[in-house]
Amino acid sequence: MKALIVVDVQNDFCPGGALAVAKGEIVIEPINKLSQLFESEGMAVIFTRDWHPANHSSFKKYGGIWPVHCVAGTHGAELHADLYFPGVAILVSKATLPEKEAYSGFQQTGLASWLHDMDVDHIVVTGLATDYCVKNTVFDAITLGFKVDVVIDAVMPVNLNRDDGEKAFAEMVERGARILNSSDLI
Ligand code: VGL
Ligand code: ZN
């Protein structure tokens, strides 16, 4: 069985947010179409969210590289209001401990067990950001033995360096991910 994973489409990663991904909101439309498709076919849809304590070690003032973002319970940490949320979906919070960074949705979340319980062996990955949480979620999924598709028009990079997004695609393909367009699925 196949599952859709929507990574970190939160206010802080969208334009106007604390760690905005340029044009981050353009992923929402293809993601909504995919969510509705997966829902209508009875396939699992999983949302991850970056859900940091206010003193998270990834923040610059605590020695990390990022501005304060996605603090649990704040507006910035909420999923974008335009995101379609199916009636049945799984919500996974990650990087919830002050000392631990977790770019992957599989890190200390129990997500792999959920997927195994639902007989999921193939995941379709979308969301933000290509070069951090999407990439690391894909790497872990491949390591765990899932077949992985990444939807190119449903992900966007932070691009701290100009070509980080492109490099992330190359690395994901090298490890065995397949790159698709949402129109290949819809
Ligand atoms: C992310 C930077 C910091 C992401 C999370 O969701 O890609 N990026 N925290
Ligand atoms: Zn973060």
Side-chain angles (χ1 to χ4, degrees):
M1 153 124 125
K2 209 154 75 167
L4 179 67
I5 304 207
V6 181
V7 175
D8 298 4
V9 182
Q10 293 165 272
N11 292 326
D12 272 344
F13 294 125
C14 292
L19 211 174
V21 170
K23 300 188 197 154
E25 81 284 8
I26 70 173
V27 303
I28 294 173
E29 192 184 315
I31 287 173
N32 285 349
K33 288 186 182 152
L34 290 170
S35 294
Q36 284 163 5
L37 173 73
F38 275 64
E39 179 183 38
S40 70
E41 295 188 354
M43 296 189 291
V45 182
I46 293 107
F47 293 82
T48 71
R49 62 180 181 184
D50 214 29
W51 197 248
H52 298 312
N55 62 346
H56 194 251
S57 55
S58 76
F59 300 162
K60 282 178 187 153
K61 58 179 172 178
Y62 298 108
I65 62 169
W66 303 113
V68 172
H69 65 280
C70 296
V71 173
T74 64
H75 174 76
E78 282 170 24
L79 296 184
H80 193 288
D82 294 341
L83 206 56
Y84 173 72
F85 202 88
V88 176
I90 292 174
L91 176 61
V92 171
S93 302
K94 62 183 175 56
T96 60
L97 300 175
E99 304 309 326
K100 292 215 167 111
E101 180 56 301
Y103 290 131
S104 160
F106 288 96
Q107 269 172 280
Q108 296 161 319
T109 60
L111 177 56
S113 318
W114 276 101
L115 294 175
H116 287 137
D117 283 353
M118 293 184 294
D119 281 330
V120 171
D121 56 2
H122 180 173
I123 63 169
V124 177
V125 182
T126 63
L128 305 172
T130 316
D131 37 357
Y132 287 92
C133 288
V134 168
K135 178 176 94 171
N136 285 280
T137 298
V138 167
F139 285 177
D140 277 354
I142 291 170
T143 301
L144 288 161
F146 293 95
K147 183 172 172 197
V148 181
D149 295 334
V150 182
V151 184
I152 194 163
D153 55 320
V155 295
M156 286 295 281
V158 177
N159 276 350
L160 284 185
N161 305 300
R162 193 166 29 93
D163 53 355
D164 283 351
E166 288 309 314
K167 278 190 188 155
F169 279 122
E171 290 173 322
M172 292 189 285
V173 168
E174 192 185 332
R175 295 195 193 198
R178 192 167 62 155
I179 308 295
L180 299 179
N181 205 285
S182 61
S183 59
D184 298 331
L185 295 164
I186 293 163

